[in-house]
Structures are given as C-alpha cells and as structure tokens.
Amino acid sequence: MAILNVNNISCGYGVKKVIKDVSFEVEAGEFVGIIGPNGTGKTTLFRALNKLLPLSKGKIYYKQKDIAHISAYTLAQETATLPQFLQMPFSLPVEEFVAMGRFPHLGRFRGFKKHDIECIERALTLTDTTKLKGRNISELSAGERQCVFLAQAFAQEPKLILLDEPTAHLDITHQVTIMDIISRLNREQGLTVLIVLHDLNLASEYCNKLILLKDGGVYKQGESAQVLNYQNIEAVYNTVVVVEENPMSKKPYVLLVSEQQRSRRC
Amino acid sequence: MKNKNNIFPFFILIALFLATIVFSLIFGSSDIEQSRIISALFSKGGDNVTRTILWQIRLPRLILGIFVGAGLAVCGAVFQSMLRNPLASPYTLGISGGSAFGATVGIIFGFAGFLLPIFAFLGGIISVGVIYLIALRKRFSNSALILSGVILSFTFSSLVLLLFSISRSERVHSALLWLIGDLSSAPEATIKSIPAIITCGILILIFYGRDINILTLGDEKALYLGVRVDIIKKIIFIVASFITAACVSAAGIISFVGLIIPHFMRYFFGLNHRRLLVSCALSGAIFLVLCDLLARIIIKPLELPVGVITGFFGGIFFLIFLLKSKDWEII
C-alpha cells in the first residue's frame, strides 16, 4: 500500500512554478531517493509535502488521505522532516534538543511520561549520540550535529521520514554513518524513507528506488540500475560521466570525467 | 537536563523578590527613620506622613516597577526566541518608537497627566498595526518583522526630533525625561490597570511556552514539528506587543531590561520557555525595582530617572557576564 501518493502536483513561489506535474508513489517500507541538479525543485517538493507551500494543481495523499485535510500537528505525529539547513541561535544541551522531537505527541500540556523518555533514549542510542548528552549543540562538529538532528527526528517516532541532503558537507565516515543509521531503521523497523541526495553513488548504494528530477518534473523513476545510466545522467546533468558497476553491491557507480580527459578522448 | 529541571533556583528568585520589595519600601529619597517605616509597614502604627509616603508614594511606584520590569523581561525573551535573534528586545519591533512619538505629541501639545499614557499607548498600537500589516504581506518572516520594526523606529524618532526642533525647551526637557524612562510619573489610573494587562499577557505567553520552544528552531522546522507557525507567531507578536506598549506607556522607554535579563535567565534556566518566562518575570521585576531604588537614593534628596540606571549598570553588568561566560558561543 502506498504510504505517500503524489498525484500530478504543481507548485512554486508566487507565479514562478518550480514543480511541474510531478507524480510518484512511495510504498510503506521503501527507501526512495530523489536526485537531480541544483534548482530542480527538490527542496520545494519537500516543502509541498509538508504543506509549507500551497499546491496550484494536484493532490498529495498520506495513507490515502489528502494532506490538505490533515493538520500539521497530526502530520508531525507520523512524519518527520529534516530540512537542509537547521541552525540554533541559542545554545542548548543535546538531550533537550532531541526532546523537542516529542512536541507533536506532547502538545502544550502533557508532561514527559516513561514512553517519551524511552523514545528520546532510543533515538540517542540509534544515532550513537548518547555520549553527547550534557554537551551543547553549539560545541558539536558538523557530523555530530547532523546525528543529533537525526535523533530529534527519530524521537518523533515517525512512520515516514523526509530528509533533505542529510550528508551534505560531511566526510565519508559521517556520510556512511548517517546513511547506515537510516538504512538500519528502514530494514529493522520498517521506517519509510524519502531522501534528497546529491551524491549519486550514495543514492545508488542505499535506495531501493530513485526519482530523477529535471526542471521541476520527473525525468525517470525506478530502480537504480534503470535510472543511473550514462544517457539519463548526461541528459539531466549536462555532464559527461562513466557509469560502472560497484563490484561489491553490483549497483551502478558514477564516475566523473574532467575536461582534460574529455578532450584527450576526442 | 537534570540540573535545569529543579525548582531550587526559583526559590532563590522568590526570596530575592520578597527582599527587594521590603527594601524598596523601607529606603527612599526622603529621610524617614527606617524603624518608623517598618512599624508602619508591619503594624497599623506610624504617623500620617510616614504612612502617606509608604502607601501613596512608594507602594504605587513599587507596583509599577514590578509589573513593568516583569513585562519587559518576558517580552524580551519572547521576541529574542521568536525572531531567533539574541539582539532583539521588546523595542526591536518599533513599539517604543510609536509610543515615544505618541507621548511626545502629548507632552508638546500640553496633555500631561492621565492622558499621557493613553497617547503613548495609542502611538505604540499604531506602530504595532503598521508592522503587522507589513509582515502579513511577507508571510510573517523574521527578517521582514525585524527590518520593518527597525525602520519604523527610525521614522518615528525623526518625527520626535522634528517636534523637538519646533517646541519650547521646557517641554522638550520633560519629553526627554519621559523618553529616558521613569517610574515616578504614572497617574493612578495607569497603576491600577497596568498589573492586570501585563499579568494576562504574561500568562498567555507562558501558555504558548512549548510552541515558543519549538519556534527557536526556525519557522520551517517548527512547522515540520507540528507548530501552527502562522497563527502562533501572530498571537505571540500581538500579545507581546500589547505588554510592551502597556509598559512603555506607564514608565517610558526603560532601556536594557528586556535585552539583558533574558540572556541571564537563559544561562541559568535553559531554553524551556515555561521556566524561562517565569524566571524572567521575577528577575525583571527584581532588577527594575532595585534600579529604581538606586535611582531614588543615589543623589538624594534628588532622584534620577530609572532608565539611566538600568542602561548604565545593566550595560556594565552584562559586559562582565559576557566576558566571564563560557557557554556564550552562538552557532
């Protein structure tokens, strides 16, 4: 059953349409990657999925219900979104930051109960951030901070998680750490994942399904082997690439070709 | 989390609060023996002069100090968190500019007394309305709020200067004294109505404390966590603006209370706004009443406007705190 059903939507900022006639489905338990060049509307799509932007056309269904009729508060009880940029203007201990993820379940009045504390502890354990308890958000490295942001999202107990480039600006250790954490939750607890990635190789390696966007529309969607071939990538990114197969996972692997190499070939 | 959840610091604040109340009633610019004041305070004793000074002069001033200090500190904390800007204060969004203009019009055209707070309040409310309408067109973004507030402040202060430049000097002087901020000049009707307005406002803000917690993550993430950002921000803006306008119209533009008290309290009480706002209310009251006490006794029998004291001591106090604190790095 599709947990998320995006039906022919268009939206944008003012008169400028960023997303045009986009349709796709996400099945429960899937790990779906959204890829495409900068400015193709990936972040805008995420905003639309969270009701931050009004749709000029089409409908989005969460569990067969039109999200226009679901309040942001109710939606937040089942879906968590990690935006691309998240900054705290004030310093705050890690565990208090993660505890904010319980807001959609607590509301204004209910106090923290045993289950809430367990959720927070579990989120800290899953992201290996228990050791950061007592530290302030402002003291952490970029990689540690991203893990803590992820912990906050997990504390929400989401069924569906939307991630906007969670691995941007991280070294390969942290990239793999973050992706492994998400992948483990996907496999072990059936968390549905919709993730925007710029790194095509990470996308190929971790996602069961890829959606390739071009100019605000879906160019191609399917398994990584179908989407990540050099014809599609060159058509969308206007960049010469070589696509090989990863000898371990048998998934496509994208190699870049520099101008010097291109001219040598011709 | 543990050390920031206990209630012990609140007991300290409450004890300080009570001590401040007693001190500010006992000491003052007139040289009455402390024993006579104490006997008038705790029993029905004391002569008429003492009783008049105590209940007619010092008590109303104390009440005003408590509520104005609490209101400014709470609004400062709320504006800093909502606008996600450590430099924000109750005056950032132009309310003080509008009130200053209203009050100056009142003073220059000779409406002293009980009409003056009404002029100031109306001026404040007009600027709140202008900011609201501008922000509404910009989807209540923080940068639109801050920019329009700062610019409106400048516009109003140039109007104030225009009025100064064409008025007689003694009226300019009394308008200037009002602008510095002073707890002594509020009429009786103001002192009776201010506590109710400010208390209601603070309770509403504390009610939305958890929403304000989440708003510190930014509008977008707050929405993703289920906060109805559009409505909540409007409510918070309007309530905090009304409290500020009430404070300013009663006591003038008292500087710094709304800027520094929230920073101190955030350091000791953390970012949970239920706790933070309560602590700000208490400590804002303590700070302003103590500053007013200083203003009354420092060059007695003359008195200074309290705004001078809050600005001077608040600034020095804050710089020391800034240098000493380790937790200060801002992302």
Side-chain angles (χ1 to χ4, degrees):
Chain A
M1 191 184 86
I3 191 167
L4 188 69
N5 196 323
V6 176
N7 199 341
N8 206 21
I9 61 162
S10 296
C11 71
Y13 307 94
V15 281
K16 189 171 167 263
K17 289 276 162 291
V18 180
I19 294 286
K20 294 160 213 147
D21 305 316
V22 166
S23 297
F24 62 87
E25 278 187 3
V26 177
E27 302 284 328
E30 269 189 319
F31 196 126
V32 180
I34 298 177
I35 51 176
N38 288 331
T40 37
K42 301 185 293 293
T43 301
T44 309
L45 179 64
F46 266 35
R47 290 187 175 151
L49 292 176
N50 273 295
K51 296 166 42 117
L52 195 64
L53 284 176
L55 302 178
S56 56
K57 199 179 118 195
K59 288 234 158 70
I60 298 170
Y61 300 94
Y62 175 75
K63 289 187 173 168
Q64 323 300 328
K65 255 177 93 179
D66 187 347
I67 63 160
H69 303 308
I70 309 176
S71 75
Y73 186 73
T74 319
L75 202 60
Q77 290 169 350
E78 302 220 337
T79 70
T81 301
L82 195 56
Q84 196 173 347
F85 303 107
L86 189 55
Q87 280 200 328
M88 273 303 287
F90 305 104
S91 68
L92 178 72
V94 165
E95 59 274 21
E96 277 186 42
F97 180 84
V98 173
M100 283 180 169
R102 294 305 297 165
F103 178 79
H105 300 278
L106 289 171
R108 288 194 189 104
F109 301 107
R110 193 164 73 72
F112 282 85
K113 290 198 181 134
K114 202 169 155 232
H115 177 70
D116 300 294
I117 307 288
E118 280 167 8
C119 280
I120 295 164
E121 293 297 331
R122 199 183 313 131
L124 288 166
T125 314
L126 281 169
T127 52
D128 199 22
T129 46
T130 313
K131 59 179 187 284
L132 301 177
K133 269 168 116 176
R135 306 257 312 266
N136 263 316
I137 287 281
S138 51
E139 308 168 4
L140 304 181
S141 74
E144 290 171 326
R145 207 177 296 165
Q146 197 64 31
C147 288
V148 172
F149 291 167
L150 209 54
Q152 190 192 52
F154 290 156
Q156 248 175 292
E157 290 184 289
K159 307 270 185 296
L160 167 69
I161 190 166
L162 309 176
L163 302 148
D164 196 349
E165 288 190 56
T167 58
H169 314 300
L170 299 185
D171 62 38
I172 50 169
T173 320
H174 280 102
Q175 287 186 10
V176 170
T177 308
I178 297 267
M179 293 304 288
D180 280 344
I181 292 167
I182 300 164
S183 172
R184 202 183 317 135
L185 250 80
N186 170 255
R187 279 176 285 120
E188 290 172 4
Q189 300 183 12
L191 174 71
T192 312
V193 181
L194 185 61
I195 184 168
V196 168
L197 284 169
H198 266 308
D199 189 322
L200 299 177
N201 296 319
L202 275 183
S204 165
E205 208 54 42
Y206 284 93
C207 303
N208 332 117
K209 188 176 141 188
L210 291 178
I211 298 169
L212 179 60
L213 293 182
K214 188 192 183 192
D215 299 331
V218 176
Y219 184 80
K220 184 89 186 166
Q221 52 181 315
E223 283 183 24
S224 56
Q226 300 164 328
V227 176
L228 289 179
N229 53 41
Y230 78 92
Q231 293 96 330
N232 287 341
I233 295 174
E234 290 182 1
V236 171
Y237 286 89
N238 287 320
T239 307
V240 180
V241 293
V242 174
V243 178
E244 294 283 335
E245 190 179 76
N246 181 329
M248 295 281 286
S249 63
K250 307 293 177 207
K251 291 196 168 160
Y253 193 85
V254 181
L255 298 161
L256 306 178
V257 183
S258 70
E259 187 186 41
Q260 204 183 356
Q261 294 295 335
R262 286 202 300 274
S263 56
R264 196 173 290 177
R265 276 292 171 89
C266 297
Chain B
M1 193 155 30
K2 290 280 178 292
N3 61 341
K4 290 204 169 169
N5 269 340
N6 67 39
I7 53 170
F8 179 65
F10 282 109
F11 286 122
I12 296 180
L13 276 186
I14 290 170
L16 279 174
F17 181 62
L18 295 176
T20 309
I21 289 177
V22 174
F23 268 112
S24 82
L25 287 176
I26 292 178
F27 296 102
S29 55
S30 53
D31 272 317
I32 308 174
E33 279 169 46
Q34 268 72 49
S35 59
R36 279 161 66 190
I37 298 252
I38 291 168
S39 73
L41 189 59
F42 292 107
S43 63
K44 293 262 168 51
D47 56 280
N48 274 339
V49 179
T50 312
R51 293 169 62 87
T52 308
I53 287 178
L54 186 61
W55 302 120
Q56 306 291 320
I57 296 175
R58 290 190 187 168
L59 183 68
R61 194 163 171 161
L62 171 69
I63 291 172
L64 197 62
I66 289 171
F67 284 96
V68 170
L72 289 177
V74 167
C75 290
V78 167
F79 278 131
Q80 282 170 6
S81 298
M82 184 184 92
L83 301 171
R84 307 179 74 221
N85 191 327
L87 287 176
S89 80
Y91 305 147
T92 304
L93 295 187
I95 300 141
S96 58
S99 293
F101 178 66
T104 310
V105 168
I107 293 168
I108 299 289
F109 291 101
F111 297 99
F114 77 100
L115 274 177
L116 185 57
I118 295 171
F119 268 88
F121 193 75
L122 284 180
I125 295 308
I126 288 170
S127 64
V128 173
V130 173
I131 304 283
Y132 184 89
L133 291 176
I134 295 172
L136 206 57
R137 291 181 64 103
K138 302 286 177 192
R139 302 206 292 150
F140 252 76
S141 79
N142 289 344
S143 48
L145 278 169
I146 293 175
L147 276 176
S148 51
V150 169
I151 290 167
L152 199 68
S153 286
F154 279 121
T155 314
F156 274 124
S157 59
S158 59
L159 287 176
V160 168
L161 292 177
L162 172 74
L163 284 177
F164 278 7
S165 63
I166 56 172
S167 309
R168 279 185 294 154
S169 60
E170 66 268 22
R171 288 203 166 159
V172 171
H173 183 74
S174 59
L176 259 180
L177 281 181
W178 186 91
L179 289 180
I180 296 169
D182 187 9
L183 292 174
S184 64
S185 56
E188 204 185 324
T190 315
I191 290 164
K192 281 188 177 146
S193 53
I194 284 291
I197 297 176
I198 292 177
T199 309
C200 287
I202 290 176
L203 288 178
I204 294 173
L205 292 175
I206 290 173
F207 176 82
Y208 287 110
R210 278 191 183 157
D211 301 72
I212 304 174
N213 290 347
I214 307 293
L215 277 179
T216 57
L217 297 172
D219 293 1
E220 188 170 350
K221 183 66 190 181
L223 187 92
Y224 296 159
L225 278 168
V227 174
R228 302 185 66 185
V229 176
D230 48 344
I231 297 169
I232 300 289
K233 274 182 93 170
K234 282 174 200 162
I235 295 173
I236 291 171
F237 168 72
I238 290 173
V239 172
S241 299
F242 263 83
I243 297 176
T244 309
C247 291
V248 172
S249 60
I253 302 167
I254 293 176
S255 59
F256 256 41
V257 180
L259 179 65
I260 61 164
I261 296 292
H263 282 295
F264 275 117
M265 291 302 115
R266 213 176 275 115
Y267 183 79
F268 291 112
F269 287 83
L271 205 61
N272 176 350
H273 283 76
R274 292 262 162 88
R275 291 163 58 80
L276 179 63
L277 297 186
V278 173
S279 69
C280 278
L282 283 169
S283 54
I286 294 169
F287 180 73
L288 189 58
V289 171
L290 281 182
C291 283
D292 189 48
L293 182 61
L294 263 181
R296 284 184 287 151
I297 60 176
I298 207 164
I299 50 164
K300 90 184 174 184
L302 294 176
E303 292 182 358
L304 280 172
V306 68
V308 177
I309 305 280
T310 56
F312 185 75
F313 287 99
I316 287 183
F317 211 30
F318 191 59
L319 282 178
I320 293 169
F321 172 70
L322 193 62
L323 287 171
K324 291 258 177 197
S325 69
K326 293 193 188 91
D327 255 353
W328 198 260
E329 303 90 15
I330 289 160
I331 294 176

